[in-house]
Amino acid sequence: MTVIYVIVKYLTIVGTFTKAFFEHLSCRVYEVLVEDGRYLARSEMCGHIEHEFIKKRGVCFGVCFFPFLFNLMLGLMFLSAGAMNILYIGEFYMKSGAANFPSYIYLWLGISMLTNLFPQWEDALTLKELIYSKDSNMFVKIIAAPIFAILYVGSALERTGLTLLTSCGFAFVLVEFYKVLLPAIL
């Protein structure tokens, strides 16, 4: 599985790099010691950075959630631009006859960012342990449940490389969503 994981990470290298950068930035903001800052290691750490074990619930949530949020925002912007031009309008070529490279690049960037959203598997397990421990408040458990479920399931999918397929599928779903949301414009 590590081979497939690393291949997917290198196919989506821009998203891999930005996810690791945002994770590194989050560790700096939350003052978490970074042990290995290599972004593109050929292991299960590809696209992630190795940091010290996090013992505080809020810090662990921030290190898991904010890189997810930033990559999600960038991914949706790029995917919207590329998917609408190529998948909905069908502008495969420009008026000059050349391929519509900007739209293809936007589509690839969007898929790349959305493929690399989720935290490292060990971070997701640590977050689960911290949020759902016996001494945790019931209110925190209920409020954090939807976000945690997304992060946990996504982290499990990313481990096997399946987030590339889900991101490609999401491009088609996003176009259908925009058709329903903006019928007068489209």
Side-chain angles (χ1 to χ4, degrees):
M1 279 306 183
T2 304
V3 174
I4 295 170
Y5 175 80
V6 172
I7 289 171
V8 167
K9 290 295 186 175
Y10 276 97
L11 284 174
T12 60
I13 194 163
V14 175
T16 302
F17 190 82
T18 56
K19 166 67 170 79
F21 172 74
F22 288 137
E23 193 172 303
H24 197 161
L25 189 63
S26 294
C27 285
R28 295 285 181 171
V29 168
Y30 285 106
E31 299 176 351
V32 175
L33 179 66
V34 174
E35 295 173 359
D36 186 7
R38 293 181 295 159
Y39 293 175
L40 298 173
R42 291 185 186 157
S43 66
E44 68 274 352
M45 292 302 294
C46 189
H48 300 286
I49 57 165
E50 192 172 344
H51 54 79
E52 71 179 353
F53 183 73
I54 302 173
K55 297 177 183 172
K56 293 183 180 179
R57 186 180 316 130
V59 173
C60 189
F61 181 78
V63 168
C64 289
F65 180 71
F66 288 114
F68 165 81
L69 182 65
F70 295 144
N71 249 21
L72 179 66
M73 289 188 302
L74 286 172
L76 287 177
M77 286 189 309
F78 285 122
L79 191 68
S80 295
M84 289 305 290
N85 284 337
I86 293 184
L87 300 177
Y88 181 68
I89 298 172
E91 290 183 353
F92 301 109
Y93 300 100
M94 296 180 163
K95 292 182 182 178
S96 65
N100 193 356
F101 284 117
S103 294
Y104 287 113
I105 290 171
Y106 289 151
L107 184 64
W108 175 71
L109 285 173
I111 289 172
S112 177
M113 299 284 181
L114 293 178
T115 300
N116 296 286
L117 286 176
F118 303 104
Q120 183 184 4
W121 180 246
E122 286 78 17
D123 288 342
L125 291 176
T126 303
L127 185 63
K128 177 184 176 185
E129 186 177 305
L130 291 173
I131 288 178
Y132 295 105
S133 64
K134 292 181 182 178
D135 61 341
S136 185
N137 186 351
M138 183 58 75
F139 181 72
V140 171
K141 291 178 184 179
I142 293 171
I143 294 298
I147 296 170
F148 170 73
I150 291 169
L151 293 175
Y152 188 78
V153 170
S155 182
L157 289 174
E158 184 177 308
R159 246 178 114 188
T160 58
L162 290 176
T163 52
L164 178 62
L165 297 176
T166 59
S167 298
C168 292
F170 183 73
F172 291 100
V173 171
L174 186 66
V175 170
E176 295 301 319
F177 175 74
Y178 281 146
K179 280 192 220 177
V180 171
L181 185 66
L182 307 168
I185 294 173
L186 305 175

